[in-house]
Amino acid sequence: MSPSAVNSEASFKITPMKKSPDEKHDFGVIVSDLDLNDISDADVRHLADAIWTHKVVVVKGQKDLAPAKQWELVTRFDPNAPQVHSHGDIKTFNSKGGLLSKAREVVGIPGAENVRLIGKGFQGEDHYGIKNKNITKPLSHDWHYAELPPEEFEAGNVRFQRWHMDAPLYARDPAWFTTLRCIKRPTEPQVNIRWDDGSGLSMKAEPGLTAFISNVQMYELMTEDEKRMADYSWVEYAPHPYMWIGDCKGNSNGLGLVSEGKEKKLEDLGDYDQKDVKTYPMVWVNPVTGEKAFQVHGICARKLFIRSSPTEQPRVVEDVVEIRKLLKLIQERVLKPEFILIPSLEEGDIVMWANYQMFHTAIDYPGSYGPRTMHQANIASSAPPVGPNLIPGVA
């Protein structure tokens, strides 16, 4: 269902999320009075428009949402999309997921395999047909180059795990939206999230939640020269990108990679098709609001093509150290507590976000706090992101 205007009014209520005077993020709403087990086509359109417009949407009161209905909603958002999770089926994810499949244990819900169980700890005697599952490989800080001492972690000091968008970046296009339903999570004590990058920054949050930053706000913080450059430039991602970076480590603030020369050689990635290698604009335009987002998934970027006008010959940057230095300068400006939203979720709430405008990250917590159970689903989009200007030679 491509973005389009609808004539009827939504049957549900939209309320802005509360924020303090110190908070500068400009996204996030609460949706109430909506049953996702029984949602009309008109309300699917209204909900999609709400996600495009507000970027992060928490739909309250979905304790009884069937996993098959969560997947059905995802497909109704984009009915022309291939009917499989954006990272492929479970077998494909586990064999080609590289960094992603190495870092976490992901299980498909029986009868709705494209809805993925992600979490931490014991998931119950029978979780929708998954028996006595104990997830012992949750998202953690193992991916970071600088170790977080275990005793500090157990005391409640944590980090952002990995800032990213949900995007395969090979063969399939990124999902428009991701949906994540909270089945169970601990709510206390709070964790202390540390940047551990020399900035001294930190913030507190409830455990078991997801953090968000807006790449629209990131774009708005750029200089006019930087915006001009980004508007006309593009990125080529590595084939099987998460395999390519499978041995790499991340920065302590969760944004970007530490450059150690551990990227795999292309010939070591196995078979790949050059036509499936993804090239995307640096800036993605919101199809509903027209907003621009600086949407570059830096950990997977293999080449940058930089120019500041349609007639300029692009400068090709293939040195990943230079690529990461350029992106860090732009992307870290928004990585400050006042720009970060960590929406609270009650059991049964489902958070949905616009992958074409946002970065998000999990935040681990000590296992002693209790188990976490989430149902995640998204679908590779039927149409790729569109930039403000055409990429030469790309249809």
Side-chain angles (χ1 to χ4, degrees), residues 54-75:
H54 302 290
K55 305 174 187 65
V56 174
V57 172
V58 173
V59 183
K60 304 292 290 182
Q62 306 302 311
K63 273 191 176 181
D64 297 326
L65 180 65
K69 285 292 186 179
Q70 182 175 349
W71 177 247
E72 180 183 289
L73 175 65
V74 166
T75 63

Side-chain angles (χ1 to χ4, degrees), residues 15-48:
T15 306
M17 291 183 188
K18 294 179 181 178
K19 65 178 185 179
S20 72
D22 295 332
E23 292 177 289
K24 295 180 180 179
H25 52 75
D26 61 0
F27 55 91
V29 296
I30 303 292
V31 164
S32 54
D33 302 329
L34 181 62
D35 180 4
L36 294 179
N37 276 314
D38 184 23
I39 180 173
S40 68
D41 287 343
D43 275 343
V44 169
R45 174 71 273 138
H46 283 298
L47 184 56

Side-chain angles (χ1 to χ4, degrees), residues 358-373:
M358 308 298 294
F359 274 174
H360 67 280
T361 179
I363 307 165
D364 204 357
Y365 62 89
S368 59
Y369 289 16
R372 176 180 187 254
T373 304

